Amino acid sequence: MRRQWFSRRSAPSVTHTRIRALRCPDSSSAGPDGREVSRDDRTSDALSGHLAEDIDSIRSVIGASGDVVFRPFELFDGRPAYLVYISGLSDEQQIDSDIFKPLTKGGTTVHSYTANAPADLRTIGDAFVTAGSTEQVATLEEALHHVVVGLQVLLLVDGEPHGLAISIGGGEQRGVEEPETEAVIRGPREGFTEDLRTSITLLRRRIRSTELVVEFRTIGRYTQTKVALCFLRDIINPSLVDEMRQRLDRIDIDAIIDSGYLEELVEDNAFSPFPQLQNTERPDVVASALLEGRLALISEGSPFALIAPIDLWGALQAAEDYYERYPIVNLIRWLRYLFMGIALYLPSLYVAITTFHQEMLPTKLLISIAAAREVTPFPALVECLLMEVTFEALREAGVRLPKTVGSAISIVGALVIGQSAVEAGIVSAPMVIVVAITGIASFVIPRFSFAIAIRMLRFAMILAGGLIGVFGIVMLTVAVVIHLSSLRSLGVPYLQPVSPFSRSSTGDVVLRAPQWAMRRRPEQTSRQNVRRQSAAMAPDQRVPRSKRNT
Amino acid sequence: MRRTVTALLLCAVCLVNTGCWDSTEIDRLAIVPMTGVDLAPDGHSVLGTLQIIRPSELGTAGGGAPATSTGSPDTFIVETEQGSTNVDPLSRARAKLSRRLFMGHRRVIVIGEAYAREGMGGLIDEILRNPSSRLRTYLVIAHGATAQSVLQLAYPLNRLPSDAIVELEQGGTALEMDSRMFAESLAGYGDPSAPGLDVVPPVRENEAPSFQLDRIAVFREDRLVGWLDGPQSDGYLWILGKLKRKDVTVAIPGHPGAVSARIGTTRSKRWVTWAHGNPQLNIDVSANFDVTQNTTDLTFTTPAEVDLLKSAIANHLRNHMAQAMNALQKDFQADPLDFADAVYRSAPQRWRQMQPQWRQVYKEAAVAYSTHVHVRNTGLLSTLLPHTTSNAPGRVQ
């Protein structure tokens, strides 16, 4: 009875086994009775070699869909043949030039061994078809797999007990664009796309090393989503890769629509408000993570790659921190720390101090707040929650609405919250200021998923502060710190390198050390290969040898 | 699972049932910036006076300028109650007020002269014991007036009169004395002192009276024994090294006219030496001055001329300090400068023998003054001016 909703879906009934096996070839191969259903057992699946029969059996499975194209034609040696593919996913022009032209009489001019010795499928694939890759398939199941999952073109020729799966590629895709969620002023402007191949290409272009490993696996019984596990073999701690492999292999789900599905399925603590995997659209961010000994998951159909393990401090580091010179980056980073504190604490402190600890305010400020609160009807706690919830709603509306309506909403919101509410005496002006500053502050955090955690905790802080004062805020903070110190991302402590302390990797926590000073990689993730660079670029090494004072 | 949910629910219920014990909305507070203490007419009970802020007069709810102008007496209300202790009047006043009395922002306590002469022990005890009283509350003694009347006064330059008193005390021309410092000097062998407040009658007819801090109340133990004012008050502040913002005007013998000089930095030191078994009180003051006006014929371009000015200023300081010491030793036999502690530190054994007749010893003790005056900026530009007439305005004859 306990944990029922965690348990796997009960096994399907016996009658559905075959069809499920057909449609989802890679799904769990254990039957309901635990018997192994290996591929060799299904000889009844084998293609017969009679074209009409094979086409009929394919049609019986996927023929109901209007977008599946069955295209009969005559091979150059006179045999009837069929092309089966899904329209739109393979480039028609390329099918024309790579398959029809070389294989039909209309396209071929001279074939030395034509009519008398019919070409077998292997010859056709090796000698005639000009597409990139071909593969022979022997069973109906394989054939369907290549058409539906591999999005390839299937060639069936009468008299051949095999089919030929031809990769054509093409189809509609979004181009490489600048990621909107992580814009930079200075730095690369390309972002991952929904196409896995493109995304991996972008990554490969940044790390041209034989040590870059890209492991594929397919997850999702219906979606058959390809997921790439990327890491740098000689930097990463191998146990991290093993851990992630195990977690991926554990997944048994019907669909992976976006990498967000993966994140929830592989994270360490499913109940924590803090994200334990970082999502990013930027290939440069993934590349630098790999170089720090982290690993990345890129999934087909999602422009968001996942990075693990991560730590808390990384949440306040933007990609641009490493592209701009370090002095300003340090100042900006401190600003982020400050505003993270404001985003988390300001409303709760305001409520706690004005209702419990009025002596903490300077007298004049107390009088100003008292004057502003003179006419407001609600207690400070209610007022604060009211405003914060309204602000969250406004933000949500701004995100969801079409862009053209978005500006109207922000104007209405600003007028309603900012001015009318104060003039009508529903809320006090200091509260509006507090909520506004808090709102700005939460946008300063570069990692959106982390900002969400702060936003959620802010409400808990407001309640704690409003019910038991600063004492409550401190208690909740202690609880959050305890939670953070027990939290792990892929087994690596979330607060490292501060706790557990590692001297060599703290250069990137509060400070952003200059590039030449960051000589070592983070130790927790890259213990086997921590040296990043030599000391040759240190400022004293740049002085001409004759002018050095030794 | 069910257990977890139950536990969470129990915790949540606990939170709801707290009723937020200590929480008070800011608009339910009666903020008290200043209180007053007087001796009641019956001669032994306490007359407590409270000033309570009216926030709506001081700020605005919807934006724009506040309702009243600066210096208006509408920004506060005053309540007076009688009681047998210092706390008693407060609790009586509480019954009359719809809002909760909030003493956390009390910055000033005004003490009527009559009450101060009877002894401040009760008040200091209340301040030290009562957790809602701040130790940093400033103390002011009303000269020749009751605290009750002082608390009715508005100050034309500040929205709250308590702010004015605080700023006057911190301004560098008056003595700064908060309850902690007062209690500390009570606890030592010396005596306390406090700034004295004078009610200033209005200059024009329809104006309200105001107040100023220009004298010093001298205590013997916790009882007020007298006042220092004018040069005595200045001299006292010189000895303490607390005179920060003041221009000194001196005449230089043999050169008609006067020179004004502004104080830069001052430092003072007090210690005790012994001569034939008697303590000698030593006072050392060093100060920097900038010349701000000169109506004499001197140009201060040579060291000799500057030395003339230095010695004139030194004489001036010494004169003021001597007046202050004279009043303290001879008139009041009070020791707010803590020479008793200096004696104790210098020779604890002798102090123990001397302690019973300390007041007498103090009265007769010799005082040695040393002054180190530095004049830094004498100003060169005005020496280029043609000689001005001797009766031009601004000349001090």
Side-chain angles (χ1 to χ4, degrees):
Chain A
M1 194 59 203
R2 272 176 83 228
R3 293 180 167 248
Q4 196 190 6
W5 35 281
F6 294 117
S7 69
R8 289 186 174 201
R9 251 181 55 184
S10 48
S13 62
V14 185
T15 44
H16 289 152
T17 312
R18 180 176 151 82
I19 295 182
R20 261 171 45 80
L22 250 181
R23 288 182 184 159
C24 319
D26 278 359
S27 72
S28 61
S29 51
D33 46 5
R35 190 174 60 93
E36 274 292 308
V37 188
S38 75
R39 278 181 193 199
D40 294 347
D41 290 345
R42 298 187 221 123
T43 39
S44 56
D45 253 8
L47 291 167
S48 63
H50 301 289
L51 186 59
E53 206 175 291
D54 288 338
I55 288 295
D56 276 350
S57 45
I58 292 176
R59 232 188 254 278
S60 71
V61 183
I62 56 173
S65 305
D67 60 338
V68 182
V69 178
F70 293 87
R71 168 82 155 78
F73 70 102
E74 200 187 302
L75 208 64
F76 49 78
D77 55 6
R79 283 187 291 173
Y82 254 99
L83 277 189
V84 182
Y85 61 92
I86 297 173
S87 74
L89 293 171
S90 301
D91 190 352
E92 301 275 346
Q93 275 194 328
Q94 258 189 306
I95 292 177
D96 227 38
S97 64
D98 291 354
I99 302 177
F100 281 127
K101 277 209 179 123
L103 292 189
T104 55
K105 277 179 184 158
T108 47
T109 46
V110 177
H111 287 299
S112 52
Y113 42 67
T114 40
N116 36 8
D120 68 343
L121 207 58
R122 179 179 301 262
T123 323
I124 292 175
D126 290 352
F128 292 95
V129 173
T130 51
S133 80
T134 60
E135 195 185 327
Q136 290 215 13
V137 293
T139 63
L140 184 62
E141 186 197 324
E142 270 182 277
L144 287 168
H145 181 81
H146 280 286
V147 172
V148 176
V149 180
L151 310 178
Q152 290 164 322
V153 178
L154 178 70
L155 171 67
L156 289 177
V157 178
D158 193 31
E160 296 284 343
H162 296 281
L164 193 68
I166 307 161
S167 295
I168 289 293
E172 291 308 310
Q173 276 159 20
R174 193 166 65 98
V176 175
E177 288 164 16
E178 183 176 2
E180 274 179 26
T181 52
E182 294 162 272
V184 291
I185 296 172
R186 178 177 173 180
R189 300 209 186 276
E190 58 191 15
F192 288 133
T193 69
E194 284 78 0
D195 182 42
L196 181 60
R197 231 178 344 158
T198 315
S199 299
I200 297 216
T201 318
L202 291 174
L203 188 59
R204 275 271 180 211
R205 256 188 223 152
R206 293 191 174 273
I207 307 178
R208 305 185 182 200
S209 162
T210 51
E211 299 302 317
L212 174 59
V213 180
V214 180
E215 280 182 17
F216 285 108
R217 60 197 65 217
T218 310
I219 304 175
R221 286 196 299 269
Y222 284 89
T223 56
Q224 295 290 319
T225 311
K226 252 188 174 176
V227 174
L229 170 62
C230 316
F231 54 91
L232 277 166
R233 191 165 36 197
D234 65 342
I235 293 179
I236 196 168
N237 184 346
S239 62
L240 292 177
V241 182
D242 289 339
E243 178 64 33
M244 185 50 93
R245 282 194 195 119
Q246 271 182 26
R247 291 188 189 185
L248 288 175
D249 290 341
R250 206 157 52 203
I251 298 176
D252 171 31
I253 193 172
D254 57 348
I256 300 288
I257 303 292
D258 183 86
S259 57
Y261 283 49
L262 282 178
E263 179 177 2
E264 280 192 48
L265 296 173
V266 300
E267 63 190 359
D268 293 56
N269 182 345
F271 300 107
S272 173
F274 292 94
Q276 295 133 58
L277 282 91
Q278 176 186 356
N279 62 69
T280 180
E281 275 189 275
R282 303 185 60 88
D284 51 320
V285 170
V286 172
S288 61
L290 297 190
L291 286 163
E292 285 178 349
R294 305 178 204 274
L295 53 81
L297 294 175
I298 309 177
S299 91
E300 178 82 56
S302 170
F304 286 94
L306 298 173
I307 296 172
I310 56 165
D311 51 54
L312 177 79
W313 320 106
L316 296 166
Q317 303 168 355
E320 205 172 346
D321 286 7
Y322 303 93
Y323 307 144
E324 195 50 73
R325 292 187 66 239
Y326 70 93
I328 182 65
V329 171
N330 276 317
L331 296 176
I332 298 280
R333 193 169 276 184
W334 298 335
L335 192 80
R336 290 198 200 114
Y337 275 102
L338 173 72
F339 272 77
M340 185 191 76
I342 288 178
L344 182 57
Y345 286 120
L346 186 66
S348 50
L349 277 180
Y350 176 81
V351 172
I353 289 176
T354 55
T355 53
F356 287 91
H357 317 279
Q358 293 94 350
E359 52 280 325
M360 282 174 71
L361 291 171
T363 306
K364 284 193 171 173
L365 183 59
L366 176 78
I367 294 168
S368 296
I369 296 176
R373 286 205 40 84
E374 203 84 330
V375 292
T376 53
F378 302 116
L381 175 63
V382 175
E383 194 180 326
C384 186
L385 285 174
L386 195 76
M387 290 295 289
E388 285 288 345
V389 170
T390 315
F391 177 76
E392 291 294 330
L394 210 73
R395 160 154 52 187
E396 185 62 15
V399 173
R400 300 290 157 240
L401 274 172
K403 282 205 175 83
T404 41
V405 193
S407 60
I409 274 293
S410 56
I411 292 167
V412 170
L415 282 179
V416 167
I417 298 190
Q419 214 178 339
S420 314
V422 173
E423 278 177 11
I426 306 291
V427 292
S428 59
M431 183 63 79
V432 175
I433 296 168
V434 164
V435 171
I437 293 177
T438 313
I440 293 168
S442 63
F443 290 121
V444 171
I445 302 169
R447 199 183 288 167
F448 187 67
S449 54
F450 183 77
I452 292 173
I454 295 286
R455 268 158 69 190
M456 289 189 294
L457 284 177
R458 173 159 81 225
F459 282 93
M461 287 286 176
I462 293 171
L463 281 175
L467 293 177
I468 33 183
V470 171
F471 178 68
I473 296 177
V474 172
M475 293 285 282
L476 191 54
T477 306
V478 169
V480 169
V481 170
I482 290 173
H483 169 69
L484 280 174
S485 19
S486 67
L487 192 61
R488 279 159 188 272
S489 165
L490 205 61
V492 175
Y494 203 61
L495 289 182
Q496 68 98 11
V498 172
S499 161
F501 187 69
S502 143
R503 194 192 191 87
S504 60
S505 344
T506 40
D508 204 18
V509 174
V510 179
L511 298 172
R512 199 281 263 171
Q515 290 289 4
W516 45 263
M518 292 194 282
R519 293 204 189 121
R520 294 163 79 80
R521 303 193 170 92
E523 229 166 87
Q524 283 274 356
T525 48
S526 59
R527 199 163 284 148
Q528 55 166 328
N529 182 1
V530 290
R531 189 169 169 276
R532 242 188 108 218
Q533 58 186 353
S534 74
M537 293 85 76
D540 53 345
Q541 300 286 313
R542 297 180 205 180
V543 180
R545 198 166 285 278
S546 55
K547 290 188 179 165
R548 283 184 207 170
N549 40 0
T550 41
Chain B
M1 196 66 209
R2 177 167 293 176
R3 275 229 303 255
T4 323
V5 169
T6 317
L8 280 176
L9 263 177
L10 277 176
C11 288
V13 167
C14 285
L15 277 182
V16 172
N17 284 345
T18 57
C20 313
W21 316 280
D22 292 341
S23 103
T24 315
E25 290 301 327
I26 219 164
D27 45 45
R28 310 209 140 259
L29 293 180
I31 303 164
V32 178
M34 178 152 77
T35 61
V37 185
D38 281 309
L39 197 63
D42 63 8
H44 53 83
S45 49
V46 178
L47 210 57
T49 308
L50 296 168
Q51 209 178 64
I52 296 163
I53 293 176
R54 298 169 69 194
S56 55
E57 301 291 326
L58 280 161
T60 58
T68 52
S69 56
T70 301
S72 157
D74 292 342
T75 54
F76 54 84
I77 57 171
V78 177
E79 287 287 337
T80 303
E81 285 292 332
Q82 190 171 335
S84 50
T85 63
N86 291 84
V87 184
D88 201 23
L90 300 187
S91 65
R92 283 168 202 264
R94 203 166 278 142
K96 292 205 293 188
L97 296 167
S98 65
R99 296 186 174 199
R100 208 187 92 186
L101 266 187
F102 180 65
M103 309 292 280
H105 278 268
R106 177 168 68 170
R107 303 179 81 186
V108 176
I109 301 175
V110 181
I111 296 132
E113 181 167 355
Y115 183 89
R117 287 196 185 278
E118 287 299 309
M120 303 262 289
L123 176 68
I124 298 298
D125 177 75
E126 187 263 331
I127 294 170
L128 294 183
R129 265 185 221 278
N130 193 347
S132 66
S133 284
R134 296 207 301 191
L135 285 180
R136 292 288 312 279
T137 308
Y138 284 112
L139 296 178
V140 171
I141 318 293
H143 174 240
T146 60
Q148 195 183 353
S149 64
V150 171
L151 258 62
Q152 309 279 355
L153 302 180
Y155 191 79
L157 292 179
N158 285 73
R159 298 187 66 76
L160 283 176
S162 59
D163 288 351
I165 293 179
V166 169
E167 280 159 28
L168 284 171
E169 290 211 21
Q170 292 172 345
T173 54
L175 180 65
E176 188 179 357
M177 180 61 62
D178 62 33
S179 340
R180 183 183 60 86
M181 289 149 72
F182 195 89
E184 273 170 8
S185 45
L186 260 183
Y189 296 121
D191 297 311
S193 60
L197 179 145
D198 275 292
V199 176
V200 183
V203 183
R204 278 170 289 181
E205 268 183 32
N206 51 358
E207 270 181 359
S210 178
F211 54 78
Q212 64 184 37
L213 301 185
D214 66 344
R215 66 178 70 230
I216 285 156
V218 178
F219 289 76
R220 200 188 299 141
E221 271 141 19
D222 67 336
R223 284 163 193 267
L224 175 69
V225 288
W227 302 92
L228 299 178
D229 58 359
Q232 295 173 344
S233 160
D234 279 1
Y236 182 74
L237 292 172
W238 272 119
I239 299 170
L240 281 175
K242 290 285 165 63
L243 202 60
K244 300 286 184 208
R245 216 168 294 163
K246 187 125 191 167
D247 290 285
V248 171
T249 301
V250 291
I252 297 173
H255 299 276
V259 178
S260 286
R262 177 180 299 145
I263 302 169
T265 57
T266 62
R267 218 173 305 145
S268 78
K269 219 163 52 174
R270 305 188 292 282
W271 71 101
V272 169
T273 52
W274 298 85
H276 311 295
N278 292 321
Q280 182 189 325
L281 315 180
N282 298 282
I283 295 168
D284 176 277
V285 174
S286 53
N288 290 322
F289 289 89
D290 296 339
V291 175
T292 48
Q293 194 181 5
N294 171 23
T295 57
T296 63
D297 54 354
L298 297 169
T299 56
F300 305 123
T301 48
T302 63
E305 288 184 355
V306 175
D307 283 345
L308 279 178
L309 176 62
K310 281 185 184 174
S311 67
I313 293 177
N315 281 333
H316 175 88
L317 296 190
R318 203 167 296 182
N319 176 17
H320 281 193
M321 291 192 287
Q323 288 190 41
M325 281 311 291
N326 195 42
L328 292 176
Q329 284 180 292
K330 307 290 185 294
D331 301 349
F332 308 139
Q333 287 117 57
D335 180 23
L337 292 165
D338 256 359
F339 282 111
D341 278 320
V343 169
Y344 169 70
R345 274 198 299 274
S346 129
Q349 287 299 333
R350 286 190 193 168
W351 164 253
R352 266 171 220 131
Q353 294 160 10
M354 194 179 283
Q355 195 175 5
Q357 50 289 16
W358 163 247
R359 298 269 173 210
Q360 195 56 36
V361 175
Y362 174 68
K363 187 176 178 182
E364 284 153 14
V367 185
Y369 306 94
S370 57
T371 49
H372 306 276
V373 173
H374 305 280
V375 174
R376 293 182 306 188
N377 303 319
T378 53
L380 289 171
L381 210 54
S382 56
T383 57
L384 301 173
L385 294 175
H387 233 68
T388 44
T389 50
S390 63
N391 42 9
R395 286 212 169 222
V396 182
Q397 293 300 324

